[in-house]
Amino acid sequence: MSRNEHTVRIEPHGRSLHVAADQPVLEAALAAGLNLPHSCKSGHCSSCRARLVAGEIRYPGGRPPGISLEEERSGHILLCQARAESDLTVEARLIASVADVEIKTLPCRIAALTALAPDVMQVLLRLPAVERIRFHAGQYLDVLLPGGRRRSFSIASPPHDSELLELHVRRVSGGGFTERLFGAGGASDAQLTVGSLLRVEGPIGQFSYREGQGPVLMIAGGTGFAPLKSMLRHALETGSGRDIHLYWGARHAHDIYEQARVLEWVQRHPRLTFTTVLSEPTAPEAAHSRVGFVHDAVLADHPDLSGIEAIRASFPPHGLPAGRLYFDSFDYAPDAGRR
């Protein structure tokens, strides 16, 4: 081990890793094939929160927003931002439900591109004929880009219909990958069209549909509908008898880009209910949708969440156990890659 590395012991997995002094602990764990709980990788969502048992860490930008001062004082850290200042022992969560899938890196081709909204593109990916990615509804994959960069996208298709992998890609101004998809890349960037070759890695993530008996509350914001689409199709098409209420929040009506499809599901499946919530509607839009923020609408309809499984800060005080709160969060990250 070099002088610029530390040993990190991950419990209860019983794994020891060598972590470079400037390397996030989570990054080292993922590179070693240990798929610890994580989501946004930017310090916002708290999915990678763990307990520091021994040793010292630092955060390059100070305490990240995904962990409170009280949590920090109680010994918790965010692995995606923590850098080891010494040898460490950390206690991370075990997620058994996604432990049986193999993370693969595979080539694929773009099979179809369909504009779902002015700034949302449906991308269908075809893997090699002899390969499949086995995943759980709700997980995501990374598109691998030159220079070690990667972009994360939830898989919108369900596990039982995975011949083509469906992604929902929102256009990001100045984003090299998304601009190429929308035909607005720079002169030196090849446009991404049907037939273009990509490399993907997945499945990744612990946000997935949990089988059970009680009602399910699903909450989407914008293209956050993508993993919920996978979950909905899985539940509806495999005969689940659970009551499901989907809330989809956005700014304007066109941002609810698959409303017609969801309404078709509602007609066919009486156990599914659907509520749209617009935060910046026009007058005509306001007449056909709830107005405000989606989490406020959820709490107005369900003030007692003690008996409902939900898809962070405002829900536990209303009775939702933290262990039954599942979520995923992607930030628009800079062009940084995994080591």
Side-chain angles (χ1 to χ4, degrees):
M1 185 174 67
S2 84
R3 295 181 180 180
N4 294 322
E5 290 184 335
H6 297 292
T7 298
V8 177
R9 178 78 176 177
I10 308 290
E11 299 291 359
H13 302 72
R15 291 284 301 276
S16 292
L17 315 168
H18 294 312
V19 181
D22 61 345
Q23 183 180 23
V25 175
L26 175 65
E27 183 180 273
L30 295 176
L34 185 57
N35 192 12
L36 297 180
H38 66 281
S39 181
C40 73
K41 304 178 189 175
S42 64
H44 288 81
C45 76
S46 85
S47 293
C48 66
R49 185 176 59 186
R51 189 171 69 89
L52 181 62
V53 178
E56 297 183 3
I57 62 101
R58 66 178 176 87
Y59 298 120
R63 177 169 53 86
I67 191 166
S68 68
L69 181 60
E70 291 73 22
E71 290 171 326
E72 186 176 57
R73 287 171 175 168
S74 68
H76 289 88
I77 62 174
L78 292 189
L79 297 178
C80 73
Q81 300 300 305
R83 271 66 166 177
E85 292 280 88
S86 67
D87 290 347
L88 307 176
T89 299
V90 300
E91 186 178 87
R93 292 184 293 120
L94 282 172
I95 304 294
S97 64
V98 295
D100 60 338
V101 294
E102 178 186 0
I103 300 176
K104 298 181 178 182
T105 301
L106 296 171
C108 63
R109 289 194 182 274
I110 297 177
L113 295 172
T114 303
L116 300 176
D119 60 346
V120 178
M121 185 75 73
Q122 179 195 63
V123 182
L124 299 182
L125 301 178
R126 187 183 302 279
L127 296 173
V130 297
E131 293 283 1
R132 283 290 183 271
I133 289 180
R134 191 164 62 91
F135 62 95
H136 293 277
Q139 290 189 290
Y140 67 95
L141 57 75
D142 279 357
V143 176
L144 306 181
L145 304 174
R149 298 171 299 148
R150 56 179 63 217
R151 293 292 180 268
S152 300
F153 300 101
S154 293
I155 304 171
S157 45
H160 65 270
D161 183 15
S162 59
E163 182 177 353
L164 296 177
L165 296 179
E166 178 182 353
L167 311 180
H168 296 175
V169 180
R170 182 176 295 280
R171 182 175 184 176
V172 179
S173 179
F177 176 72
T178 64
E179 294 284 34
R180 291 169 63 197
L181 268 180
F182 283 83
S188 61
D189 297 324
Q191 301 303 308
L192 293 172
T193 59
V194 172
S196 292
L197 184 65
L198 298 172
R199 288 176 64 242
V200 298
E201 181 179 281
I204 308 171
Q206 287 74 34
F207 179 59
S208 63
Y209 182 80
R210 270 74 167 176
E211 299 293 348
Q213 300 299 320
V216 181
L217 186 58
M218 295 185 178
I219 307 163
T223 49
F225 171 68
L228 300 188
K229 181 178 181 180
S230 177
M231 294 183 188
L232 282 166
R233 288 195 57 196
H234 170 79
L236 299 176
E237 295 173 16
T238 59
S240 170
R242 305 173 76 177
D243 292 333
I244 302 175
H245 194 156
L246 171 65
Y247 287 81
W248 191 346
R251 292 181 179 178
H252 303 289
H254 68 258
D255 297 318
I256 313 293
Y257 52 84
E258 288 210 286
Q259 179 169 333
R261 182 183 297 271
V262 176
L263 290 175
E264 290 177 4
W265 294 342
V266 170
Q267 291 296 317
R268 297 201 306 268
H269 302 278
R271 290 184 176 273
L272 174 64
T273 54
F274 178 41
T275 300
T276 60
V277 186
L278 302 180
S279 61
E280 300 177 14
T282 63
E285 292 174 345
H288 298 92
S289 180
R290 298 273 287 275
V291 177
F293 294 105
V294 65
H295 63 279
D296 290 332
V298 173
L299 291 176
D301 293 350
H302 304 278
D304 180 9
L305 292 171
S306 59
I308 296 179
E309 197 170 316
I311 309 278
R312 159 183 143 158
S314 57
F315 284 13
H318 290 258
L320 179 66
R324 297 181 66 196
L325 177 64
Y326 312 116
F327 56 90
D328 218 351
S329 172
F330 296 145
D331 281 1
Y332 298 129
D335 287 338
R338 185 182 301 168
R339 290 177 185 270

